[in-house]
Amino acid sequence: MNATSNRGMWGSRLGFVLAASGSAVGLGNIWKFPYITGEYGGGAFVLIYLFCILLVGLPIMYAELLMGKVTQKDPVGAFKYLQGTNSSWQIVGWMGVISAFVILSFYSVVAGWSMAFVARSAVGAINYDMGVEAVKGLFTALYEDPFEQIFWHLMFMIMVVGIVSGGVKKGIERWSEILMPGLILLLLVLMGFAMTLEGFREGVRFMFSADFSQVTPPAVLEALGHSFFTLSLGMGAMITYGSYLPEDANIPRGGMWIVILDTGIALLAGLIIFPIVFTFDLESGAGPGLIFSTLPVAFAQLPAGGILSAAFFVLLGFAALSSAISLLEVAVAFFHDELGWDRRLAAVGLGAVVFLLGIPSAAYGQFFDFMDNLSTNYLLPLGGLGVSVYAGWVMDREDMNGAFGGKLGDNVMRIWLLIIKFVTPFLVLLVFLNKIGVIKV
Ligand code: TRP
């Protein structure tokens, strides 16, 4: 037992990978990735996104896990521990705590949509003899009803608070171990169905044939921002999760698995959604409602589609839950570790703040877009920039050495150091400055 063991630890290595993938895999993969891919025109966007995952996401994943493992602290505490209590590096950690509130507030609204669709499926509102128009109307009606959205947003936040207040191991890990495999299984079944559709080829072509005339600075920034969002990076979530890692954990391998799972699931979601879009002549650029107005169309074509639909939205809700948990956990770990709040009190109090902050997102689409844009395109890239500059240029090499782990540790670490030093921060800076118009590429 060491001095920090009362903070909790992951029960096993697999438990850690599943819990961290539970954070990474969520609405970002299944809801957001298809809808932004649709809005930005498909293939070229997907290619840029994959590029960002490899050269920005993966290196920062390693950096965050490493910082957490070395310090055993929340994001603010981690910077204080490494750089001293007065260091301005802790601003990066502070920004992360703020991002957690911003992201969770609208994230919970979307998770609420998923719950609303569970309810609709369960009462038979999505069924075999429904026309395409009627199915599309289901989402429109929900989107135009702030009260129903707020109700589900509240239900969702109550679940998040309930789990987070239970503590790391009992709460987060146990759930992730059951639900993640279930989600993957159902996605594979749906993929099988998508392959039988007449629009399958066109869907695949949409996702993988790159038309570079579609590439604009906002598209590149969105792809970059989304690589942070989908991997839960840029705000210290992975610092926090890394802080519960045991001594012998293998960061390169664990981190690689998280990234592979996360990216695979996003691509799988796209390969389900776009064939449906093209088969039934739907709108690929439909925006945030995309999955809610396309998947039910497919469900309504299937016998027992109502049950399948309910199962899908239940699992999507759970994927959102395991991600939302990690968002609230960052804030709770900070208030617990730095300010000495009781975990339970922190979870309830902060959850209430997030609920209030989410109300305008449920009521006004523009506020929702603002919060999404603020976090994905500004807070996360800036946070990620901070982490990569810190890990590449400032962090003590001795601190890193033992903690990185893995048999191939030395070589992998050398390559990683080169990338995090010379590639990652410059790419992020370039994209960011280009978007805000300081430089033109
Ligand atoms: N990665 C999650 C998703 O794709 C969302 C998420 C959870 C997140 N924790 C995060 C995003 C921390 C940014 C930072 O659904």
Side-chain angles (χ1 to χ4, degrees):
M1 285 280 196
N2 59 31
T4 51
S5 62
N6 64 342
R7 295 181 71 245
M9 279 273 167
W10 302 113
S12 67
R13 281 187 222 173
L14 182 66
F16 160 70
V17 170
L18 285 175
S21 318
S23 162
V25 175
L27 296 170
N29 308 63
I30 294 167
W31 159 72
K32 197 167 181 193
F33 172 74
Y35 110 67
I36 55 181
T37 298
E39 280 189 335
Y40 288 104
F45 180 83
V46 174
L47 205 65
I48 298 169
Y49 158 76
L50 292 175
F51 217 70
C52 291
I53 292 284
L54 200 66
L55 290 179
V56 178
L58 185 64
I60 293 183
M61 174 69 76
Y62 288 174
E64 288 203 13
L65 291 177
L66 184 63
M67 285 184 67
K69 189 178 165 200
V70 168
T71 61
Q72 313 253 305
K73 295 259 184 307
D74 65 285
V76 175
F79 281 104
K80 281 192 191 164
Y81 176 96
L82 292 164
Q83 290 305 113
T85 30
N86 293 323
S87 160
S88 25
W89 276 105
Q90 60 183 287
I91 294 173
V92 177
W94 276 100
M95 237 169 54
V97 176
I98 295 170
S99 315
F101 287 97
V102 174
I103 296 175
L104 189 51
S105 72
F106 73 85
Y107 200 84
S108 169
V109 172
V110 180
W113 296 347
S114 197
M115 291 171 73
F117 269 73
V118 174
R120 282 165 173 62
S121 313
V123 298
I126 296 172
N127 60 54
Y128 196 46
D129 1 74
M130 235 170 142
V132 171
E133 285 310 310
V135 179
K136 285 200 295 193
L138 289 172
F139 181 72
T140 321
L142 174 64
Y143 195 65
E144 283 165 2
D145 182 351
F147 293 103
E148 191 186 348
Q149 292 184 66
I150 291 168
F151 170 76
W152 292 114
H153 163 51
L154 176 64
M155 293 298 118
F156 185 74
M157 282 310 301
I158 289 175
M159 294 198 292
V160 176
V161 166
I163 296 182
V164 171
S165 57
V168 176
K169 187 159 172 265
K170 262 196 301 163
I172 303 174
E173 193 172 345
R174 202 181 50 200
W175 286 97
S176 306
E177 280 173 1
I178 315 169
L179 297 166
M180 176 76 85
L183 180 69
I184 296 177
L185 205 70
L186 188 60
L187 284 173
L188 288 173
V189 170
L190 289 174
M191 169 84 188
F193 168 70
M195 288 173 81
T196 68
L197 292 174
E198 164 198 321
F200 184 69
R201 273 166 179 279
E202 202 179 343
V204 174
R205 197 172 321 122
F206 180 77
M207 275 185 67
F208 295 113
S209 74
D211 167 9
F212 283 96
S213 67
Q214 301 266 4
V215 178
T216 56
V220 180
L221 182 65
E222 185 77 27
L224 179 79
H226 186 65
S227 72
F228 288 111
F229 188 93
T230 190
L231 293 174
S232 305
L233 298 174
M235 52 143 309
M238 289 298 165
I239 297 182
T240 308
Y241 272 35
S243 76
Y244 308 123
L245 275 175
E247 197 64 40
D248 63 346
N250 183 333
I251 289 181
R253 195 163 32 169
M256 179 73 81
W257 269 113
I258 300 165
V259 170
I260 290 174
L261 261 173
D262 186 81
T263 310
I265 291 180
L267 295 175
L268 197 57
L271 286 173
I272 295 167
I273 308 278
F274 290 110
I276 298 174
V277 166
F278 293 112
T279 304
F280 299 101
D281 224 4
L282 306 169
E283 176 61 59
S284 61
L290 181 68
I291 68 161
F292 298 96
S293 46
T294 53
L295 279 177
V297 171
F299 293 135
Q301 303 290 315
L302 291 166
I307 294 170
L308 213 55
S309 173
F312 175 81
F313 287 111
V314 165
L315 287 172
L316 181 61
F318 276 115
L321 192 58
S322 56
S323 302
I325 287 165
S326 74
L327 286 161
L328 190 60
E329 174 64 23
V330 170
V332 169
F334 167 74
F335 279 80
H336 176 70
D337 292 356
E338 299 304 309
L339 308 179
W341 287 31
D342 172 65
R343 263 197 84 88
R344 231 164 250 283
L345 180 73
V348 174
L350 304 176
V353 172
V354 170
F355 169 67
L356 293 176
L357 203 60
I359 290 177
S361 283
Y364 306 103
Q366 276 164 338
F367 190 81
F368 178 101
D369 291 341
F370 168 77
M371 298 296 260
D372 188 350
N373 185 34
L374 174 66
S375 50
T376 306
N377 290 336
Y378 296 91
L379 296 172
L380 297 180
L382 282 176
L385 183 63
V387 168
S388 61
V389 170
Y390 184 77
W393 295 88
V394 183
M395 191 173 168
D396 186 65
R397 294 292 176 260
E398 281 309 303
D399 279 345
M400 292 178 165
N401 252 335
F404 201 70
K407 289 216 175 59
L408 274 173
D410 285 353
N411 283 329
V412 179
M413 188 165 153
R414 229 170 270 138
I415 299 169
W416 169 73
L417 267 175
L418 279 178
I419 295 180
I420 198 95
K421 211 169 162 162
F422 296 110
V423 180
T424 309
F426 294 100
L427 276 180
V428 178
L429 205 61
L430 192 74
V431 173
F432 191 71
L433 293 180
N434 192 29
K435 151 82 187 204
I436 60 176
V438 175
I439 51 168
K440 274 267 162 282
V441 181

